[in-house]
Amino acid sequence: MSDAEGRPTVELPEAVLALLAAADADTLLRDAESLATGLADAGWTPDVESGRFAAGGWDLLSSAWAPNLSVFFEGEEDEVRVRAQAVASFLTSRTDRWAFHTEGDDWSGWPLDDVRWTEGDWMAAHPLEWHGGGVVISLYLQPDYRPGKILAPANLHVGVDRADTPPEGLPRDDERARRVVRDGSVVDRWFLAGEHDLPDDVIAALENDPDSRVRVAAESERWYRERTIIGPPPTVDEDRPGPGHEQPPARFAPR
């Protein structure tokens, strides 16, 4: 499929389009419950790991403090570029919702054989951005990269953040974390399990949570934390999946 100017196009998954259409600070990014409900309604399925969802070959990582999410797709360079341009086209077409901005090159309309894709360092510094509804949507595009013997495939990254969140994010709040453990819903606690720099008593409480989804998420976070931060990197063993990967949690039901 091609557009009017002969550029190849692709249909984005309905889950991606529905998510972008719902991106608003007062609905999707209001709190943990709104985030989980909005993602489920858009067609995203939660993984065992805190804040992680998937749909149609796309991956999503989210947090409830402050509410934000990142959507990823990786593959061949042309495949990734076409999908990134489809995301840009959808967002730009909604002039009633978002205002487009970029401080760098606007690559959203470049042909796939344009030499500018391989020139300069335009991808590293300036994403395409859309502002509106109390959120900032950022679209990044990364080509194939080979830092050593391992090839990092091309990928796109769509970030959706509240416009009122500081660039450095919200500060650590141990008392808030303890309140979530004590009074929060299952969804609140599941998202909390993925936060960084939690106090030891909160981590212990999450690992002994009465709900299995929270326990598995907390145990999975500890498994990754111990192996990627204070220990050797995890190895891939197809016959023995890592802790927390035995089965995905059931879809969260709205309150």
PDB file of all heavy atoms in Angstrom, residues 5-8 77-78 81-82 85 109-119:
ATOM      1  N   GLU A   5       1.731  10.080  -2.837  1.00  0.00           N
ATOM      2  CA  GLU A   5       3.024  10.430  -3.416  1.00  0.00           C
ATOM      3  C   GLU A   5       3.896   9.201  -3.664  1.00  0.00           C
ATOM      4  O   GLU A   5       5.081   9.323  -3.947  1.00  0.00           O
ATOM      5  CB  GLU A   5       3.754  11.410  -2.493  1.00  0.00           C
ATOM      6  CG  GLU A   5       2.999  12.732  -2.323  1.00  0.00           C
ATOM      7  CD  GLU A   5       3.754  13.711  -1.439  1.00  0.00           C
ATOM      8  OE1 GLU A   5       4.949  13.447  -1.172  1.00  0.00           O
ATOM      9  OE2 GLU A   5       3.174  14.722  -1.035  1.00  0.00           O
ATOM     10  N   GLY A   6       3.305   8.010  -3.553  1.00  0.00           N
ATOM     11  CA  GLY A   6       4.035   6.790  -3.854  1.00  0.00           C
ATOM     12  C   GLY A   6       4.829   6.216  -2.704  1.00  0.00           C
ATOM     13  O   GLY A   6       5.532   5.221  -2.879  1.00  0.00           O
ATOM     14  N   ARG A   7       4.765   6.801  -1.507  1.00  0.00           N
ATOM     15  CA  ARG A   7       5.495   6.270  -0.363  1.00  0.00           C
ATOM     16  C   ARG A   7       4.745   5.079   0.198  1.00  0.00           C
ATOM     17  O   ARG A   7       3.520   5.103   0.315  1.00  0.00           O
ATOM     18  CB  ARG A   7       5.656   7.342   0.719  1.00  0.00           C
ATOM     19  CG  ARG A   7       6.620   8.462   0.351  1.00  0.00           C
ATOM     20  CD  ARG A   7       6.822   9.396   1.535  1.00  0.00           C
ATOM     21  NE  ARG A   7       5.587  10.065   1.882  1.00  0.00           N
ATOM     22  CZ  ARG A   7       5.280  11.314   1.525  1.00  0.00           C
ATOM     23  NH1 ARG A   7       6.133  12.010   0.803  1.00  0.00           N
ATOM     24  NH2 ARG A   7       4.140  11.858   1.885  1.00  0.00           N
ATOM     25  N   PRO A   8       5.448   3.997   0.583  1.00  0.00           N
ATOM     26  CA  PRO A   8       4.774   2.839   1.176  1.00  0.00           C
ATOM     27  C   PRO A   8       4.134   3.211   2.507  1.00  0.00           C
ATOM     28  O   PRO A   8       4.653   4.039   3.258  1.00  0.00           O
ATOM     29  CB  PRO A   8       5.901   1.815   1.360  1.00  0.00           C
ATOM     30  CG  PRO A   8       7.158   2.624   1.406  1.00  0.00           C
ATOM     31  CD  PRO A   8       6.913   3.798   0.498  1.00  0.00           C
ATOM     32  N   GLU A  77      15.016  -1.994   9.159  1.00  0.00           N
ATOM     33  CA  GLU A  77      14.991  -0.528   9.146  1.00  0.00           C
ATOM     34  C   GLU A  77      13.803   0.034   8.375  1.00  0.00           C
ATOM     35  O   GLU A  77      13.106   0.924   8.862  1.00  0.00           O
ATOM     36  CB  GLU A  77      16.304   0.023   8.580  1.00  0.00           C
ATOM     37  CG  GLU A  77      17.446  -0.012   9.572  1.00  0.00           C
ATOM     38  CD  GLU A  77      18.630   0.828   9.130  1.00  0.00           C
ATOM     39  OE1 GLU A  77      18.667   1.232   7.946  1.00  0.00           O
ATOM     40  OE2 GLU A  77      19.516   1.092   9.960  1.00  0.00           O
ATOM     41  N   ASP A  78      13.557  -0.465   7.163  1.00  0.00           N
ATOM     42  CA  ASP A  78      12.452   0.064   6.374  1.00  0.00           C
ATOM     43  C   ASP A  78      11.113  -0.205   7.061  1.00  0.00           C
ATOM     44  O   ASP A  78      10.203   0.630   7.049  1.00  0.00           O
ATOM     45  CB  ASP A  78      12.447  -0.535   4.968  1.00  0.00           C
ATOM     46  CG  ASP A  78      13.505   0.087   4.057  1.00  0.00           C
ATOM     47  OD1 ASP A  78      14.182   1.042   4.503  1.00  0.00           O
ATOM     48  OD2 ASP A  78      13.642  -0.378   2.912  1.00  0.00           O
ATOM     49  N   ARG A  81      10.803   2.282   9.885  1.00  0.00           N
ATOM     50  CA  ARG A  81      10.578   3.642   9.389  1.00  0.00           C
ATOM     51  C   ARG A  81       9.133   3.842   8.933  1.00  0.00           C
ATOM     52  O   ARG A  81       8.511   4.872   9.225  1.00  0.00           O
ATOM     53  CB  ARG A  81      11.535   3.935   8.225  1.00  0.00           C
ATOM     54  CG  ARG A  81      12.986   4.093   8.628  1.00  0.00           C
ATOM     55  CD  ARG A  81      13.882   4.166   7.408  1.00  0.00           C
ATOM     56  NE  ARG A  81      15.296   4.233   7.762  1.00  0.00           N
ATOM     57  CZ  ARG A  81      16.296   4.065   6.906  1.00  0.00           C
ATOM     58  NH1 ARG A  81      16.020   3.805   5.620  1.00  0.00           N
ATOM     59  NH2 ARG A  81      17.548   4.143   7.310  1.00  0.00           N
ATOM     60  N   VAL A  82       8.595   2.868   8.205  1.00  0.00           N
ATOM     61  CA  VAL A  82       7.226   2.986   7.714  1.00  0.00           C
ATOM     62  C   VAL A  82       6.243   3.080   8.876  1.00  0.00           C
ATOM     63  O   VAL A  82       5.306   3.888   8.855  1.00  0.00           O
ATOM     64  CB  VAL A  82       6.874   1.793   6.802  1.00  0.00           C
ATOM     65  CG1 VAL A  82       5.384   1.769   6.499  1.00  0.00           C
ATOM     66  CG2 VAL A  82       7.657   1.872   5.503  1.00  0.00           C
ATOM     67  N   GLN A  85       6.547   6.474  10.558  1.00  0.00           N
ATOM     68  CA  GLN A  85       5.874   7.503   9.757  1.00  0.00           C
ATOM     69  C   GLN A  85       4.356   7.382   9.856  1.00  0.00           C
ATOM     70  O   GLN A  85       3.641   8.389   9.819  1.00  0.00           O
ATOM     71  CB  GLN A  85       6.334   7.418   8.303  1.00  0.00           C
ATOM     72  CG  GLN A  85       7.782   7.859   8.103  1.00  0.00           C
ATOM     73  CD  GLN A  85       8.208   7.810   6.654  1.00  0.00           C
ATOM     74  OE1 GLN A  85       7.808   6.921   5.896  1.00  0.00           O
ATOM     75  NE2 GLN A  85       9.046   8.756   6.252  1.00  0.00           N
ATOM     76  N   GLY A 109       7.932  12.546   6.437  1.00  0.00           N
ATOM     77  CA  GLY A 109       7.517  12.420   5.045  1.00  0.00           C
ATOM     78  C   GLY A 109       8.619  12.013   4.097  1.00  0.00           C
ATOM     79  O   GLY A 109       8.421  12.019   2.880  1.00  0.00           O
ATOM     80  N   TRP A 110       9.780  11.615   4.627  1.00  0.00           N
ATOM     81  CA  TRP A 110      10.884  11.235   3.744  1.00  0.00           C
ATOM     82  C   TRP A 110      10.597   9.913   3.034  1.00  0.00           C
ATOM     83  O   TRP A 110      10.121   8.956   3.668  1.00  0.00           O
ATOM     84  CB  TRP A 110      12.173  11.062   4.538  1.00  0.00           C
ATOM     85  CG  TRP A 110      12.749  12.330   5.106  1.00  0.00           C
ATOM     86  CD1 TRP A 110      12.282  13.595   4.930  1.00  0.00           C
ATOM     87  CD2 TRP A 110      13.909  12.433   5.941  1.00  0.00           C
ATOM     88  NE1 TRP A 110      13.078  14.488   5.608  1.00  0.00           N
ATOM     89  CE2 TRP A 110      14.081  13.811   6.230  1.00  0.00           C
ATOM     90  CE3 TRP A 110      14.805  11.520   6.463  1.00  0.00           C
ATOM     91  CZ2 TRP A 110      15.125  14.279   7.038  1.00  0.00           C
ATOM     92  CZ3 TRP A 110      15.848  11.976   7.259  1.00  0.00           C
ATOM     93  CH2 TRP A 110      16.008  13.338   7.532  1.00  0.00           C
ATOM     94  N   PRO A 111      10.908   9.787   1.740  1.00  0.00           N
ATOM     95  CA  PRO A 111      10.840   8.480   1.069  1.00  0.00           C
ATOM     96  C   PRO A 111      11.843   7.510   1.704  1.00  0.00           C
ATOM     97  O   PRO A 111      12.860   7.934   2.271  1.00  0.00           O
ATOM     98  CB  PRO A 111      11.233   8.798  -0.377  1.00  0.00           C
ATOM     99  CG  PRO A 111      10.999  10.267  -0.524  1.00  0.00           C
ATOM    100  CD  PRO A 111      11.277  10.875   0.818  1.00  0.00           C
ATOM    101  N   LEU A 112      11.571   6.227   1.618  1.00  0.00           N
ATOM    102  CA  LEU A 112      12.445   5.246   2.255  1.00  0.00           C
ATOM    103  C   LEU A 112      13.841   5.216   1.644  1.00  0.00           C
ATOM    104  O   LEU A 112      14.801   4.806   2.309  1.00  0.00           O
ATOM    105  CB  LEU A 112      11.827   3.847   2.173  1.00  0.00           C
ATOM    106  CG  LEU A 112      10.557   3.642   3.005  1.00  0.00           C
ATOM    107  CD1 LEU A 112      10.089   2.200   2.899  1.00  0.00           C
ATOM    108  CD2 LEU A 112      10.785   4.025   4.459  1.00  0.00           C
ATOM    109  N   ASP A 113      13.987   5.639   0.368  1.00  0.00           N
ATOM    110  CA  ASP A 113      15.296   5.626  -0.267  1.00  0.00           C
ATOM    111  C   ASP A 113      15.987   6.987  -0.194  1.00  0.00           C
ATOM    112  O   ASP A 113      17.008   7.213  -0.855  1.00  0.00           O
ATOM    113  CB  ASP A 113      15.194   5.179  -1.727  1.00  0.00           C
ATOM    114  CG  ASP A 113      14.261   6.074  -2.543  1.00  0.00           C
ATOM    115  OD1 ASP A 113      13.656   7.003  -1.965  1.00  0.00           O
ATOM    116  OD2 ASP A 113      14.140   5.828  -3.762  1.00  0.00           O
ATOM    117  N   ASP A 114      15.463   7.884   0.635  1.00  0.00           N
ATOM    118  CA  ASP A 114      16.059   9.218   0.767  1.00  0.00           C
ATOM    119  C   ASP A 114      17.425   9.100   1.452  1.00  0.00           C
ATOM    120  O   ASP A 114      17.553   8.437   2.494  1.00  0.00           O
ATOM    121  CB  ASP A 114      15.134  10.110   1.598  1.00  0.00           C
ATOM    122  CG  ASP A 114      15.473  11.588   1.470  1.00  0.00           C
ATOM    123  OD1 ASP A 114      16.643  11.949   1.719  1.00  0.00           O
ATOM    124  OD2 ASP A 114      14.578  12.383   1.130  1.00  0.00           O
ATOM    125  N   VAL A 115      18.442   9.753   0.905  1.00  0.00           N
ATOM    126  CA  VAL A 115      19.795   9.649   1.459  1.00  0.00           C
ATOM    127  C   VAL A 115      19.889  10.279   2.838  1.00  0.00           C
ATOM    128  O   VAL A 115      20.832   9.978   3.601  1.00  0.00           O
ATOM    129  CB  VAL A 115      20.833  10.298   0.519  1.00  0.00           C
ATOM    130  CG1 VAL A 115      20.898   9.559  -0.802  1.00  0.00           C
ATOM    131  CG2 VAL A 115      20.519  11.781   0.301  1.00  0.00           C
ATOM    132  N   ARG A 116      18.934  11.130   3.186  1.00  0.00           N
ATOM    133  CA  ARG A 116      18.997  11.784   4.492  1.00  0.00           C
ATOM    134  C   ARG A 116      18.864  10.810   5.656  1.00  0.00           C
ATOM    135  O   ARG A 116      19.294  11.101   6.777  1.00  0.00           O
ATOM    136  CB  ARG A 116      17.918  12.863   4.589  1.00  0.00           C
ATOM    137  CG  ARG A 116      18.201  14.089   3.729  1.00  0.00           C
ATOM    138  CD  ARG A 116      17.036  15.069   3.776  1.00  0.00           C
ATOM    139  NE  ARG A 116      15.843  14.521   3.130  1.00  0.00           N
ATOM    140  CZ  ARG A 116      14.685  15.177   3.038  1.00  0.00           C
ATOM    141  NH1 ARG A 116      14.572  16.390   3.572  1.00  0.00           N
ATOM    142  NH2 ARG A 116      13.650  14.635   2.416  1.00  0.00           N
ATOM    143  N   TRP A 117      18.282   9.622   5.404  1.00  0.00           N
ATOM    144  CA  TRP A 117      18.192   8.623   6.469  1.00  0.00           C
ATOM    145  C   TRP A 117      19.567   8.219   6.976  1.00  0.00           C
ATOM    146  O   TRP A 117      19.712   7.805   8.140  1.00  0.00           O
ATOM    147  CB  TRP A 117      17.466   7.374   5.973  1.00  0.00           C
ATOM    148  CG  TRP A 117      16.000   7.526   5.704  1.00  0.00           C
ATOM    149  CD1 TRP A 117      15.385   7.470   4.484  1.00  0.00           C
ATOM    150  CD2 TRP A 117      14.943   7.736   6.662  1.00  0.00           C
ATOM    151  NE1 TRP A 117      14.029   7.633   4.623  1.00  0.00           N
ATOM    152  CE2 TRP A 117      13.719   7.798   5.947  1.00  0.00           C
ATOM    153  CE3 TRP A 117      14.919   7.877   8.045  1.00  0.00           C
ATOM    154  CZ2 TRP A 117      12.496   7.982   6.570  1.00  0.00           C
ATOM    155  CZ3 TRP A 117      13.697   8.069   8.673  1.00  0.00           C
ATOM    156  CH2 TRP A 117      12.500   8.113   7.935  1.00  0.00           C
ATOM    157  N   THR A 118      20.568   8.275   6.129  1.00  0.00           N
ATOM    158  CA  THR A 118      21.906   7.780   6.490  1.00  0.00           C
ATOM    159  C   THR A 118      22.901   8.903   6.735  1.00  0.00           C
ATOM    160  O   THR A 118      24.082   8.642   6.940  1.00  0.00           O
ATOM    161  CB  THR A 118      22.449   6.876   5.371  1.00  0.00           C
ATOM    162  OG1 THR A 118      22.515   7.624   4.141  1.00  0.00           O
ATOM    163  CG2 THR A 118      21.555   5.674   5.173  1.00  0.00           C
ATOM    164  N   GLU A 119      22.441  10.138   6.747  1.00  0.00           N
ATOM    165  CA  GLU A 119      23.341  11.272   6.919  1.00  0.00           C
ATOM    166  C   GLU A 119      23.141  11.928   8.288  1.00  0.00           C
ATOM    167  O   GLU A 119      22.015  12.051   8.770  1.00  0.00           O
ATOM    168  CB  GLU A 119      23.098  12.327   5.831  1.00  0.00           C
ATOM    169  CG  GLU A 119      23.452  11.857   4.435  1.00  0.00           C
ATOM    170  CD  GLU A 119      23.151  12.919   3.383  1.00  0.00           C
ATOM    171  OE1 GLU A 119      22.388  13.866   3.691  1.00  0.00           O
ATOM    172  OE2 GLU A 119      23.663  12.778   2.265  1.00  0.00           O
TER     173      GLU A 119
END
